[in-house]
Amino acid sequence: MPTISPIRRKLEENKVIFTLFIIMAGIAGKIIEEFFLPAQYFYDSNRINSTVVDINFKDRWYTGSYKVAVDFFRKINVFHFTERVQWSILLGVVMTIVLIIMFTRCSGMDNTQIFFATMCVGLCNIYIFNICKDVIQFMIFILIYIVVSINKLPIWVKAILAALLLRWESEVYKSYYIIMAFFFVVIFIAFSIIRRKRKRLTKLQYLIVVVGLFAMVYVFLFAARVIYPKEYNDIMEARNYSNQQGQNSAIQEVYEHNGNLNIFFVDYLIDSVRMMFPFELVQMGVFYLPFFLFQVFMLFYLVRGVKNMAEFDDKSFIGLCIFLAYFLGSVLFEPDFGSFVRHEAATLPIISLMVFNENMWSSRLKEQIRRDEFQSEELPADF
């Protein structure tokens, strides 16, 4: 029988302790949500809940993704909930259990991954697991997670199904997910070619990949201006319209583009950097600090993931491609920093595919396991 490394055995044993961390993070998240957050954070949740309870209520906002959310919660309201806090507790318990199942399926986590996973659970219980639109997005990404995690499916079948689910999400939830589906297909094909070499990217190759990703966005916008002028104009005006709503963390454009593609793309590049390094959030108060810290971790794992993509297994590789597509698409539309990071946190099922795997372990942990396994192979069979 193959000998299991003592460190790998310890990682398996630590899953019990890690599960306790997850439960405590979920409870702490709900306490923070209910007793410390200001009322403005519950505006959407209260509006959706009021409409779910009052079936005769109609207003001008009852359309698009809001209508989808209201109709969804009406259908699943088998317990006849009337209060937002009831939904918060139920969804917090159910979704935290789902996350425990996801996280404990991986082969183990290093200390940094454990800290990040615990923080994600707390963040989701504060801002996502409630009667809101974001939890529906989370559920759809659970479906993608399930499809991608089916080991018997070839990688290209997983990729097609993931793209189709993103396409379906654009039909039933938010229309701009069609753009993310397109980005995902392009990134998946390009990265698959790079992955065949089975080598880590050099600094030059990494720079070429980054330039290529942004070039893809520019080509997409250039083509959309000709082929889909209405949708192109919607993209151009998306953030201008949202900024009129007065969010505290609104992303103000550096340059007025007035429909000019080249100026818009310069803004896009600047906004990409601002969203990857959201230092502006730190200045907006203590409630934005978890968003900032979350984004720092995401940047760390995203950089490492692109560099190490050749070593990823199929599901982690697809998770990386989907998340990159999501990020590049979000920069086009997200109106403020808070919404950007909150919606990004709702992709946690996809993040878990990309982040919580052996290839994201620290170099020190990998070296310890290699040394242990090498020593185990040298022992006599009856040792």
Side-chain angles (χ1 to χ4, degrees), residues 263-315:
I263 297 177
F264 176 85
F265 189 69
V266 170
D267 269 331
Y268 177 85
L269 294 175
I270 295 172
D271 290 341
S272 298
V273 175
R274 292 167 68 193
M275 290 180 172
M276 286 188 285
F277 301 93
F279 293 108
E280 293 162 75
L281 283 176
V282 181
Q283 307 170 8
M284 298 176 184
V286 65
F287 290 109
Y288 288 96
L289 288 179
F291 292 164
F292 172 77
L293 188 59
F294 173 83
Q295 193 58 31
V296 169
F297 273 95
M298 282 311 310
L299 178 62
F300 168 75
Y301 283 119
L302 190 58
V303 170
R304 178 179 283 189
V306 173
K307 182 179 180 181
N308 299 337
M309 73 171 87
E311 301 174 0
F312 276 12
D313 60 21
D314 289 351
K315 64 180 182 180

Side-chain angles (χ1 to χ4, degrees), residues 134 137 141 166 169 174 176-177 179-181 183-184 187 268 319-334 339-347 350-351:
D134 299 326
Q137 176 183 328
F141 280 114
L166 289 172
E169 188 169 3
K174 293 184 177 180
Y176 60 74
Y177 271 86
I179 297 176
M180 297 173 185
F183 286 170
F184 165 65
I187 292 171
Y268 177 85
L320 171 66
C321 296
I322 294 175
F323 183 80
L324 267 174
Y326 178 86
F327 174 81
L328 293 171
S330 294
V331 177
L332 288 172
F333 293 98
E334 290 294 359
S339 295
F340 168 71
V341 182
R342 189 177 71 251
H343 295 162
E344 189 178 59
T347 69
I350 302 304
I351 293 173

Side-chain angles (χ1 to χ4, degrees), residues 11-12 14-20 22 96-109 117 145 315 352 356:
L11 290 173
E12 286 294 325
N14 284 347
K15 288 182 178 180
V16 177
I17 300 176
F18 173 59
T19 300
L20 294 177
I22 294 298
T96 299
I97 292 173
V98 170
L99 288 178
I100 290 173
I101 295 172
M102 284 184 185
F103 293 158
T104 53
R105 288 184 74 247
C106 69
S107 53
M109 298 185 188
Y145 172 92
K315 64 180 182 180
S352 70
F356 303 125

Side-chain angles (χ1 to χ4, degrees), residues 215-230:
M216 173 195 69
V217 176
Y218 183 85
V219 171
F220 166 80
L221 292 171
F222 185 87
R225 182 175 61 174
V226 178
I227 303 174
Y228 301 106
K230 181 183 180 300

